[in-house]
């Protein structure tokens, strides 16, 4: 049995007077209902069905769209080992020890050693209680790139051309919240009231409910089979990092400040426990819940699923309700803007970097690429997708909240919530927009203001769109 999503011909909900879905399910050989959208009249339904019965269902029920379940990933850049090293001869493991600048061992950091970075060939592991990890690199003499990620409260690390034949000790630089990253450089220390009165939906891996810099107003777990009230983190840091970029309320030297700390943030978890992928059905369910909860803006720092009628229908219904949708442009090394950011009236955000807002040893340092803008320190990240871009925002080595502390992360995932924060400021700061009911007309007016206020940085429009969101 495989899972599919059943949709009406238009939208997410069955039109009045249409044949009720339960009647269709009563037919011989009908699919088994797994989950359905909550709401009057019923809506998009997740079913299990034998692949051979799909065409029969389509013929029998021509008013249904039968869509395969598709998977989406966070639009996060973290180079992953895809292939093992070429084995030429047996060799001792490559031993790496990771410590902090004061010599204390760092436990649980991810070390990725690439013997052939272009082919993503190498080995990966996590540091043990003594700060060490053993990596099997075969007969390789040189590691082209060595990354360290995920060391709580430390900068990521990139080393190039490392000898693999002897043990290596790496010292990580602790984060200092007084240092200015890309978000702080562009948006400064926002007032705690910035974005007040605007409700934001973060459709992601869940947001830490106990982080001192964050105030999560509510949300919902939209993963089939999981507890709806469990909208905290699923075991990954991505959603909490996104939340901090939007609305962290901390202050240096002990914390971070987001772009719109006065905005109300709500967590809609679409990623299962310890899962790095979300289904199109879970994303649609989260979008539907966000509309029902009266959210003004939706943050979608996801991609990779390809064009999909389920997510498209959910976004279109959200837009029809006056909700603004901002999505990551994608991280396909200057490929075309990915779905769903390429949909009409979805704000597509590319990732901007700036030399000097992160250590030269940080992982984001590998993402500098031309052409450059008016200021040679600015660059559009090498990973960032291009083409039909609306605006750009910081997305390289961005320091933000994660469960238990802080990390720097890279990706159009990070640019997306910066744009969401700016939009929250636009709406909150406009008496005219604040006085209007949520509607497509208000959303269009907010988008017009966003584009009008954007600051051109001298890049081609295919890289920056109208410019820096501000």
């Amino acid at each position: 049995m495989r899972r599919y999503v059943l949709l009406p011909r238009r939208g997410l909900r069955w039109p009045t007077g249409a044949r009720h879905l339960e009647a269709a399910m009563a037919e011989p050989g009908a699919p088994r209902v797994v989950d359905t959208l909550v709401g009057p009249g019923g809506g998009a339904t997740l079913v299990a069905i034998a692949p051979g019965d799909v065409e029969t269902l389509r013929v029998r029920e021509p008013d249904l769209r039968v869509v395969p379940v598709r998977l989406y990933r966070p639009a996060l850049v973290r180079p992953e080992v895809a292939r093992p090293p070429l084995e030429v001869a047996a060799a001792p493991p490559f031993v790496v020890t990771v410590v902090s600048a004061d010599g204390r061992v760092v436990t649980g950091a991810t070390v990725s050693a690439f013997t052939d970075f272009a082919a993503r060939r190498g080995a990966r592991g996590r540091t043990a209680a003594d700060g060490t990890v053993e990596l099997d690199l075969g007969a390789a003499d040189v590691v082209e790139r060595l990354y360290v990620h995920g060391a709580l409260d430390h900068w990521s690390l990139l080393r190039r051309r490392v000898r693999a034949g002897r043990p290596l000790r790496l010292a990580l630089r602790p984060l200092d919240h007084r240092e200015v990253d890309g978000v702080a450089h562009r948006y400064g220390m926002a007032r705690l009231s910035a974005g007040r009165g605007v409700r934001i939906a973060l459709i992601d891996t869940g947001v830490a409910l106990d982080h001192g810099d964050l105030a999560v107003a509510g949300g919902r777990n939209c993963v089939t089979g999981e507890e709806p009230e469990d909208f905290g983190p699923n075991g990954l840091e991505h959603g909490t990092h996104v939340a901090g970029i939007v609305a962290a309320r901390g202050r240096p030297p002990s914390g971070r400040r987001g772009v719109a700390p006065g905005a109300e943030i709500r967590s809609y978890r679409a990623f299962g426990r310890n899962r790095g992928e979300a289904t199109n059905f879970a994303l649609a369910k989260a979008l539907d819940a966000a509309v029902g909860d009266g959210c003004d803006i939706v943050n979608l720092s996801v991609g990779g699923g390809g064009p999909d009628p389920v997510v498209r229908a959910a976004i279109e219904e959200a837009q029809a309700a006056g909700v603004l949708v901002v999505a990551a442009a994608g991280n396909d090394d200057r490929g075309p803007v990915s779905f769903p950011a390429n949909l009409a009236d979805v704000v597509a955000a590319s990732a901007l970097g700036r030399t000097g807002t992160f250590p030269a040893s940080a992982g984001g340092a590998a993402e500098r690429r031309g052409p450059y803008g008016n200021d040679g320190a600015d660059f559009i990240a090498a990973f960032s997708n291009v083409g039909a871009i609306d605006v750009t925002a910081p997305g390289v080595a961005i320091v933000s909240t994660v469960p238990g502390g802080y990390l720097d992360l890279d990706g159009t995932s990070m640019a997306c919530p910066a744009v969401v924060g700016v939009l929250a400021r636009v709406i909150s700061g406009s008496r005219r927009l604040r006085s209007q009911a949520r509607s497509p007309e208000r959303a269009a007016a907010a988008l017009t203001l966003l584009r009008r206020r954007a600051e051109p940085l001298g890049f081609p429009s295919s890289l920056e769109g109208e410019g820096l969101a501000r």
Side-chain angles (χ1 to χ4, degrees):
M1 302 285 278
R2 294 183 182 174
R3 291 190 173 188
Y4 292 79
V5 182
L6 305 186
L7 289 174
R9 279 295 161 195
R10 293 182 179 275
L12 288 178
R13 287 184 168 76
W14 315 114
T16 303
R19 185 183 183 198
H20 204 267
L21 183 63
E22 276 78 356
M25 295 297 101
E27 298 286 347
R32 175 175 60 85
V33 174
V34 178
D35 196 3
T36 187
L37 281 184
V38 176
T45 302
L46 180 66
V47 301
I49 185 172
D53 292 334
V54 171
E55 192 56 38
T56 300
L57 178 64
R58 287 186 171 126
V59 171
R60 190 175 69 216
E61 304 293 342
D63 290 336
L64 292 181
R65 288 183 289 173
V66 185
V67 182
V69 166
R70 291 176 181 162
L71 299 176
Y72 293 79
R73 297 174 61 86
L76 174 69
V77 173
R78 185 170 284 179
E80 296 182 359
V81 174
R83 301 175 181 84
L86 292 172
E87 291 288 347
V88 177
F94 178 43
V95 180
V96 179
T97 302
V98 181
V99 300
S100 187
D102 61 4
R104 290 179 297 170
V105 299
V106 174
T107 302
T110 299
V111 180
S112 303
F114 294 92
T115 55
D116 182 344
F117 185 73
R120 296 300 193 268
R121 193 178 294 281
R124 176 184 178 186
R126 298 185 71 184
T127 56
D130 62 355
T132 65
V133 61
E134 296 184 354
L135 302 174
D136 183 6
L137 299 182
D141 294 324
V142 176
V143 175
E144 288 186 7
R145 293 193 191 185
L146 188 146
Y147 287 90
V148 181
H149 288 109
L152 206 63
D153 299 324
H154 291 79
W155 285 99
S156 60
L157 179 69
L158 166 63
R159 292 280 298 273
R160 300 175 188 263
R161 305 296 298 176
V162 175
R163 287 188 58 185
R166 59 190 181 191
L168 178 67
R169 184 180 175 91
L170 299 172
L172 302 185
R173 178 173 169 177
L175 292 172
D176 183 342
H177 298 306
R178 293 167 296 189
E179 293 179 321
V180 174
D181 72 346
V183 168
H185 174 76
R186 300 296 177 180
Y187 305 113
M189 180 65 63
R191 294 180 179 179
L192 288 175
S193 60
R196 181 175 294 167
V198 179
R199 182 173 294 174
I200 295 170
L202 306 175
I203 298 179
D204 216 291
T205 64
V207 180
L209 307 179
D210 58 354
H211 198 293
D213 287 359
L214 298 174
V216 182
R220 184 180 175 191
N221 182 358
C222 299
V223 178
T224 298
E226 293 192 4
E227 174 55 49
E229 296 305 313
D230 181 14
F231 49 81
N234 74 334
L236 303 179
E237 70 268 9
H238 187 268
T240 305
H241 198 273
V242 164
I245 295 170
V246 176
R249 299 176 62 81
R251 185 181 185 90
S254 60
R256 307 296 297 189
R257 183 66 58 88
V259 178
E264 177 187 307
I265 55 173
R266 298 179 64 85
S267 170
Y268 296 88
R269 181 151 75 80
F271 291 74
R273 177 63 55 185
N274 296 314
R275 295 294 300 271
E277 296 174 319
T279 67
N280 51 355
F281 184 79
L283 292 177
K285 197 172 179 181
L287 279 156
D288 186 66
V291 173
D293 288 341
C295 292
D296 299 291
I297 310 171
V298 166
N299 186 97
L300 279 177
S301 288
V302 300
D308 169 45
V310 178
V311 173
R312 178 193 289 268
I315 287 175
E316 289 174 346
E317 289 214 352
Q319 291 172 326
V323 179
L324 288 156
V325 179
V326 183
N331 308 321
D332 303 310
D333 301 325
R334 301 285 172 94
V337 173
S338 63
F339 180 88
N342 60 3
L343 292 176
D345 295 323
V346 171
V347 181
S350 66
L352 175 68
R354 182 174 176 83
T355 302
T357 61
F358 51 85
S361 58
E367 304 304 334
R368 183 176 171 89
R369 178 177 171 183
Y372 300 102
N374 299 328
D375 186 331
D378 291 338
F379 60 94
I380 300 298
F383 58 73
S384 186
N385 286 356
V386 300
I389 297 294
D390 290 290
V391 289
T392 191
V396 178
I398 304 303
V399 179
S400 184
T401 49
V402 295
Y406 307 85
L407 286 175
D408 71 294
L409 297 180
D410 310 293
T412 50
S413 264
M414 286 59 254
C416 185
V419 175
V420 166
V422 170
L423 269 170
R425 289 165 117 175
V426 167
I427 295 172
S428 179
S430 168
R431 184 177 301 175
R432 180 172 62 87
L433 290 178
R434 288 199 317 270
S435 66
Q436 292 180 9
R438 192 178 300 107
S439 66
E441 291 72 27
R442 188 183 79 150
L447 286 180
T448 297
L449 276 176
L450 175 72
R451 295 181 175 115
R452 185 180 301 158
R453 289 171 46 163
E455 176 189 353
L457 300 178
F459 297 101
S461 61
S462 60
L463 297 181
E464 70 171 4
E466 298 295 330
L468 171 68
R470 55 176 304 136

